[in-house]
């Protein structure tokens, strides 16, 4: 089940993100960041165990731009369509809000392309998106791939 995150989800979400962050697959998030941006986040809850097995956030950047970030699915649950559902929940919300473009910075470019995103040059984004990058251990040598989904196209 995909639902909006609740306060009690933050510790397990932080743990899951931390596990992927350890080998550089995504950015670790502090408890403070997760609590203050809680309303950005969707989680997937395993119906049998009632445990969090996936998460993804939609973070609004500017009037026409939002980022899909902190996407993670527990390895035990990969390739069951959960990642797609989480990203779709973010896209649906972006559409409802009237946002024109959703982007991701990722190493999973093929996954996002599969969902309709297209690869773009990172430099097209406003400087506002780089605020987060200052906290990234890889800054300023970012090798992530930027992808965009245009929502104004239907
Ligand atoms: C990327 C990730 C979220 C994908 O989650 P998932 O639940 O396994 O993906 P899904 O099962 O929803 O896959 C959706 C579609 O994308 C395809 N896909 C999944 N991973 C893919 C990949 N690495 N390359 C190409 N296609 C991929 C699937 O085949 C599926 O296609 P289908 O719907 O036509 O069958 C997961 O691998 C993950 O958590 N990785 C580690 C953290 C990470 O790298 N996050 C991204 C940071 S932005």
């Amino acid at each position: 089940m995909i639902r909006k995150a609740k306060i009690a989800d933050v510790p397990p979400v932080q743990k899951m993100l931390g596990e992927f962050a350890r080998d550089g697959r995504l950015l670790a998030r502090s408890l403070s960041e997760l609590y203050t941006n809680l309303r950005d986040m969707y989680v997937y809850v395993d119906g049998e165990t009632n445990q969090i097995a996936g998460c993804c956030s939609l973070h609004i950047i500017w009037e026409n731009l939002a980022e899909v970030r902190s996407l993670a699915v527990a390895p035990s649950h990969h390739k069951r369509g959960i990642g797609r559902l989480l990203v779709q929940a973010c896209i649906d919300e972006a559409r409802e809000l009237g946002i024109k473009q959703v982007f991701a910075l990722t190493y999973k470019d093929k996954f996002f392309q599969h969902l309709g995103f297209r690869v773009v040059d990172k430099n097209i984004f406003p400087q506002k998106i780089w605020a987060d990058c200052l906290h990234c251990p890889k800054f300023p040598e970012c090798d992530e791939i930027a992808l965009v989904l245009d929502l104004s196209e239907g």
Side-chain angles (χ1 to χ4, degrees):
M1 181 186 73
I2 306 279
R3 61 161 170 76
K4 291 292 274 187
K6 299 180 187 184
I7 290 289
D9 302 329
V10 167
V13 161
Q14 192 203 24
K15 186 163 178 274
M16 189 166 57
L17 294 176
E19 278 158 17
F20 286 121
R22 218 166 291 141
D23 55 7
R25 280 192 272 179
L26 44 72
L27 204 54
R29 299 284 174 191
S30 66
L31 287 173
S32 162
E33 282 176 289
L34 291 172
Y35 286 124
T36 53
N37 296 296
L38 183 72
R39 283 177 292 183
D40 284 356
M41 183 164 277
Y42 288 88
V43 292
Y44 172 82
V45 184
D46 183 308
E48 282 176 21
T49 62
N50 221 20
Q51 304 288 308
I52 302 290
C55 61
C56 188
S57 288
L58 177 77
H59 188 71
I60 298 172
I61 304 288
W62 204 240
E63 65 171 338
N64 51 7
L65 188 64
E67 179 181 9
V68 171
R69 56 164 66 165
S70 298
L71 169 65
V73 174
S76 55
H77 288 65
H78 280 180
K79 303 206 181 293
R80 295 190 202 171
I82 297 167
R84 176 192 280 276
L85 287 175
L86 285 162
V87 173
Q88 194 56 54
C90 292
I91 293 170
D92 291 347
E93 186 178 355
R95 266 190 220 284
E96 276 172 35
L97 291 167
I99 288 166
K100 299 274 189 306
Q101 272 194 332
V102 174
F103 76 95
L105 286 169
T106 184
Y107 298 111
K108 292 283 179 185
D109 51 316
K110 298 285 183 296
F111 167 82
F112 279 97
Q113 281 180 288
H114 202 77
L115 301 192
F117 287 66
R118 63 187 163 86
V119 176
V120 291
D121 184 335
K122 269 181 280 204
N123 296 321
I124 69 164
F125 294 119
Q127 285 209 318
K128 210 168 177 316
I129 83 159
W130 306 116
D132 239 25
C133 301
L134 299 175
H135 308 292
C136 177
K138 293 185 180 165
F139 181 80
E141 307 292 332
C142 174
D143 56 354
E144 288 191 315
I145 297 156
L147 296 104
V148 152
L149 181 69
D150 292 301
L151 301 181
S152 45
E153 289 170 1

